[in-house]
Amino acid sequence: MGLNNINLLGTLTLNNFHHSGEMGDIIYSLPVVRALGGGNFYISNEYSGMHLNTRFDQNLFDNVKEILEPLPYINDVCFDFPHGEFIDLNVFRKGYEDWIAGKLTDDQAVLIRTTNIISLHKQHFNIGNVSSSPWLFANKKPIENKPIIINRTHRYNNYKFPWKQIIQRFGDKCGFVGFEGEHKSFCNDISPVDHVKTDTFKDLIETINGSKVFIGNQSFCYSLCQGLKKYSILETDSYMNNCRYKRCGNLVDSTDIDTIIFYIKKKLDKHGL
């Protein structure tokens, strides 16, 4: 049975975790998995609390497994619903479920949509800081003449974010990662940039890790960047801003082009770029 205890540390020796996606949500659950001692990570589609955009098939699972399996706190990654007792990593969504069901006050709704996902996990499991150090690890795959890796998905956009000015200044140094459709939309809506194609999530995380600066919106790519603790800039969604992780080397909430240019230039200058 799934366990919804909010005080698991020191009381249980379970090491089976279950998650049903989304992709970024899985990545943001990992600091808590590590803090709880690590173990086996189960992924399945067995969740009905709210609509999810991601449905796992074998190919998608295999891609995720390639990222998770080498992590020192992960014993095994399984495409299955766990048998017996387990730690339920879908419980962070309870607030979202209540919000969708109209059970929250306006103030409670604002809080749930502006609290970052790691903090929701921490609150549920009653644990402290779990994400001050990297929780993802990957080789570095720098792209020649592209020290800035960018990504922008179709969701969670902030139209005040100065993408056009960023590309005008640094476009020749930028490589776009993501789906063909995302790249096409970016070129049409913002400005043409080169597409760095990544066939697997392993390619993707190594490309992000090989960058000097990552710029993106709230996406799976951004979650990888946060897990790696890369130097980054977030296009923060003005409404559903639940991926704001304030730390040294991560610029959030800024739409001021001068601040952003200074931030990028400082990092590039450090590396003679």
Side-chain angles (χ1 to χ4, degrees):
M1 66 166 45
L3 295 176
N4 291 331
N5 306 62
I6 63 171
N7 188 15
L8 290 170
L9 282 178
T11 63
L12 297 173
T13 57
L14 303 178
N15 66 339
N16 291 326
F17 299 85
H18 175 248
H19 209 305
S20 299
E22 309 282 353
M23 292 304 309
D25 295 343
I26 286 177
I27 300 304
Y28 289 131
S29 76
L30 294 174
V32 170
V33 171
R34 179 174 63 180
L36 294 175
N40 301 313
F41 200 98
Y42 287 80
I43 297 174
S44 82
N45 295 312
E46 298 295 323
Y47 170 76
S48 59
M50 57 184 281
H51 171 73
L52 298 180
N53 292 296
T54 301
R55 295 291 292 179
F56 281 90
D57 58 20
Q58 190 65 49
N59 181 62
L60 181 57
F61 169 78
D62 289 343
N63 261 284
V64 178
K65 182 175 181 178
E66 200 170 16
I67 292 176
L68 300 188
E69 201 168 42
L71 300 176
Y73 51 90
I74 298 295
N75 179 57
D76 196 8
V77 186
C78 308
F79 190 18
D80 196 4
F81 191 82
H83 306 286
E85 294 184 326
F86 64 92
I87 297 171
D88 185 3
L89 297 173
N90 291 313
V91 294
F92 83 95
R93 293 198 182 92
K94 182 63 170 64
Y96 297 123
E97 295 171 13
D98 290 344
W99 178 27
I100 292 168
K103 297 179 180 180
L104 302 184
T105 66
D106 289 346
D107 287 345
Q108 288 172 329
V110 169
L111 184 62
I112 197 66
R113 63 179 172 80
T114 58
T115 300
N116 71 58
I117 295 170
I118 294 176
S119 292
L120 294 178
H121 281 292
K122 285 164 54 180
Q123 291 168 15
H124 177 79
F125 292 110
N126 193 27
I127 54 180
N129 186 14
V130 296
S131 58
S132 59
S133 62
W135 64 87
L136 290 178
F137 308 95
N139 293 327
K140 293 184 177 182
K141 185 180 177 182
I143 304 301
E144 186 175 6
N145 299 321
K146 302 296 180 186
I148 303 172
I149 294 298
I150 65 175
N151 168 255
R152 193 181 200 235
T153 62
H154 295 130
R155 295 193 300 162
Y156 306 126
N157 301 145
N158 183 341
Y159 295 97
K160 294 182 179 180
F161 191 78
W163 274 114
K164 289 184 179 180
Q165 295 97 314
I166 293 170
I167 300 304
Q168 184 178 17
R169 179 66 182 270
F170 299 105
D172 62 326
K173 299 180 185 297
C174 292
F176 187 100
V177 293
F179 294 117
E180 293 276 2
E182 294 170 349
H183 178 246
K184 182 178 180 180
S185 293
F186 190 92
C187 292
N188 290 339
D189 297 342
I190 308 298
S191 180
V193 290
D194 291 337
H195 190 195
V196 178
K197 297 183 179 181
T198 53
D199 294 329
T200 66
F201 290 165
K202 183 175 183 290
D203 289 339
L204 177 61
I205 193 172
E206 290 179 352
T207 299
I208 292 172
N209 204 25
S211 69
K212 302 304 181 189
V213 181
F214 178 88
I215 310 173
N217 66 331
Q218 297 165 199
S219 67
F220 175 54
C221 293
Y222 184 74
S223 72
L224 296 178
C225 168
Q226 289 310 299
L228 294 165
K229 298 294 183 184
K230 296 297 293 183
Y231 195 88
S232 54
I233 301 171
L234 174 65
E235 175 191 4
T236 306
D237 187 274
S238 57
Y239 182 73
M240 193 69 181
N241 53 353
N242 61 354
C243 295
R244 293 159 65 249
Y245 299 94
K246 294 185 177 182
R247 61 172 173 83
C248 180
N250 185 40
L251 183 64
V252 299
D253 293 334
S254 180
T255 58
D256 178 70
I257 185 59
D258 291 333
T259 299
I260 292 172
I261 286 176
F262 174 80
Y263 190 80
I264 296 171
K265 196 171 181 301
K266 178 182 177 182
K267 186 66 170 180
L268 297 185
D269 287 350
K270 180 180 178 180
H271 293 276
L273 301 169

